[in-house]
Amino acid sequence: MEGKDGLWVLTDDSRNPRREDYRDEVIDAHDELANDHQVEENTPTQLVKEIAINRNNVLKDMIIAFKDEIILSCCLEIVFIDERGNIDNGRGAGVKREALSIFWREFYNSLATGASEKVPAIRHDYQQSEWKNIARVLVAGFTKFGYFPVTLSSAFIASCLFPEELLAKEWLVESFHQYISKDESETLKRSVTDECPDPSTDEDVTDVLSSYKCRRGVRKDTMPKIIKELAHQEIIQRPKYVANAWSPIVNELKRFEEFKTVDSLVRFYEAKKPTQKKVCKLLTSNPATDAQRECFSHLKRFVKSLDDNLVSIFLQYVSGSNIIAVDSIEVAFSEES
């Protein structure tokens, strides 16, 4: 057991490592394989590392824990430390997904900018080493736990994986509209329609452009080009330092189908983002009585009534993850006493 900066990393005896599959098999609380696969005898051995993180300091604890490059070749277990400094009993896939969900939520709040989609924002106290550690969290989340933070701009992730010429300008603009606020997006979309005859005299348009330090002369015919340039500035240019730090590590993901091409990345994002309809389809149950059937129907209606933010919170509550990381969610009924 090693302790540093309030973080405890527990490792097993390296002379007796467990045999684990590189991606799909995760140790649960009973040291069983989460997907019940049998490990082949010729599977390469992996060191098992258990990372204990404080619930009140998840972001910093995880960044510290992932400073060692070897961690991506280890089988990882994540547990929480409570307010008294004791390790929680909870373990397994749900705890790992919860830890990653909290990590990325804190990341969005302190290390990223954007509305519906987020882009990393540089800070003086986060240098290349810290950004590389975060990239390892990103890669480990997907390769080991099936979790990927789809609130991160897909166009930014693509810039870490592919040459810039493969990123369509129209797609960057779409991502930019998700990055900026809803009001700003509506204003820029209006600026290229007949509703806005002269953008240069439209106060709302000029306010948005000035907030992104637009230097080009504003005319009706230049607005499409300006929007494309601003999209490139905010999604590609501004976070370039982070993309350069992430790229060598994130490229590990390209061995998976989801990250082989820009199109497959877009499809992956679409599949993982939770919606009311998708979450309802995940719910499965075998109600035995009319009361249970009515209860299950009420649950579905409740999910359909949630907004985008609340449906993510609901999904995290029942699955540990605020993105779609499970194939189904079983709803069971308890007998009334």
Side-chain angles (χ1 to χ4, degrees):
M1 178 184 293
E2 300 173 332
K4 185 176 181 181
D5 299 327
L7 174 70
W8 291 92
V9 179
L10 312 177
T11 62
D12 71 334
D13 188 344
S14 60
R15 294 169 297 179
N16 186 30
R18 296 173 182 155
R19 293 180 178 272
E20 296 300 326
D21 176 79
Y22 185 74
R23 175 189 178 196
D24 294 319
E25 291 158 347
V26 179
I27 297 292
D28 68 9
H30 304 290
D31 287 344
E32 296 171 346
L33 297 178
N35 60 2
D36 294 327
H37 287 178
Q38 294 297 318
V39 181
E40 298 294 335
E41 286 300 319
N42 60 355
T43 302
T45 58
Q46 284 186 288
L47 178 67
V48 178
K49 280 185 174 288
E50 186 173 82
I51 302 170
I53 55 177
N54 193 308
R55 281 187 177 274
N56 297 321
N57 201 38
V58 172
L59 181 70
K60 290 185 177 179
D61 279 1
M62 290 276 278
I63 290 174
I64 293 171
F66 279 79
K67 66 182 179 181
D68 192 345
E69 294 181 13
I70 197 174
I71 199 165
L72 291 180
S73 61
C74 295
C75 179
L76 301 179
E77 183 70 68
I78 299 177
V79 294
F80 284 110
I81 301 173
D82 62 23
E83 294 80 0
R84 298 180 179 180
N86 300 318
I87 294 179
D88 287 350
N89 292 327
R91 292 171 182 265
V95 173
K96 297 164 190 172
R97 290 194 294 264
E98 181 185 7
L100 289 165
S101 295
I102 295 172
F103 173 86
W104 287 107
R105 183 172 68 241
E106 293 183 2
F107 175 90
Y108 300 145
N109 290 336
S110 61
L111 291 169
T113 58
S116 298
E117 289 190 359
K118 305 287 186 179
V119 170
I122 58 172
R123 281 178 24 174
H124 71 89
D125 54 337
Y126 275 71
Q127 300 298 309
Q128 187 179 68
S129 59
E130 285 80 13
W131 288 114
K132 284 183 177 292
N133 297 354
I134 295 170
R136 293 188 190 101
V137 176
L138 179 77
V139 172
F142 179 77
T143 60
K144 298 179 183 299
F145 311 131
Y147 182 96
F148 195 86
V150 292
T151 303
L152 268 180
S153 167
S154 57
F156 167 75
I157 293 296
S159 74
C160 299
L161 294 169
F162 308 108
E164 187 177 319
E165 55 267 23
L166 295 182
L167 311 184
K169 292 181 179 180
E170 293 74 14
W171 183 48
L172 283 180
V173 170
E174 290 178 14
S175 183
F176 179 59
H177 280 293
Q178 297 298 314
Y179 167 78
I180 61 181
S181 70
K182 184 178 179 180
D183 286 344
E184 290 177 329
S185 175
E186 290 176 351
T187 297
L188 291 182
K189 288 178 179 178
R190 183 175 58 81
S191 72
V192 296
T193 68
D194 294 337
E195 295 181 26
C196 181
D198 186 1
S200 65
T201 61
D202 189 302
E203 185 176 348
D204 290 338
V205 174
T206 56
D207 282 348
V208 172
L209 295 181
S210 63
S211 69
Y212 292 102
K213 297 180 172 56
C214 175
R215 308 296 186 188
R216 190 177 292 278
V218 179
R219 301 192 309 272
K220 189 70 175 180
D221 62 325
T222 61
M223 278 306 301
K225 183 177 180 63
I226 288 173
I227 294 172
K228 289 178 182 178
E229 290 173 344
L230 292 180
H232 189 271
Q233 170 185 284
E234 297 300 314
I235 307 298
I236 304 298
Q237 295 179 33
R238 197 175 295 280
K240 189 63 176 177
Y241 178 81
V242 179
N244 288 340
W246 281 20
S247 186
I249 299 169
V250 174
N251 265 278
E252 165 71 16
L253 296 174
K254 292 178 76 173
R255 64 191 183 92
F256 299 105
E257 287 297 327
E258 295 90 336
F259 300 92
K260 285 188 180 296
T261 66
V262 173
D263 288 341
S264 63
L265 177 65
V266 172
R267 290 193 297 270
F268 169 69
Y269 260 72
E270 180 61 29
K272 288 294 183 181
K273 285 186 176 180
T275 64
Q276 295 83 351
K277 184 177 181 180
K278 290 178 184 177
V279 173
C280 279
K281 285 186 175 181
L282 291 176
L283 300 175
T284 62
S285 183
N286 292 305
T289 67
D290 289 341
Q292 291 177 356
R293 281 187 284 272
E294 181 67 18
C295 183
F296 189 52
S297 295
H298 274 300
L299 176 61
K300 286 187 172 182
R301 286 196 292 271
F302 169 73
V303 172
K304 291 176 181 177
S305 71
L306 301 176
D307 61 27
D308 292 343
N309 181 55
L310 288 177
V311 79
S312 294
I313 294 174
F314 172 82
L315 186 59
Q316 181 172 348
Y317 178 77
V318 298
S319 72
S321 171
N322 57 1
I323 68 162
I324 296 176
V326 295
D327 295 327
S328 64
I329 299 170
E330 184 178 355
V331 180
F333 300 92
S334 59
E335 295 293 335
E336 294 184 2
S337 56

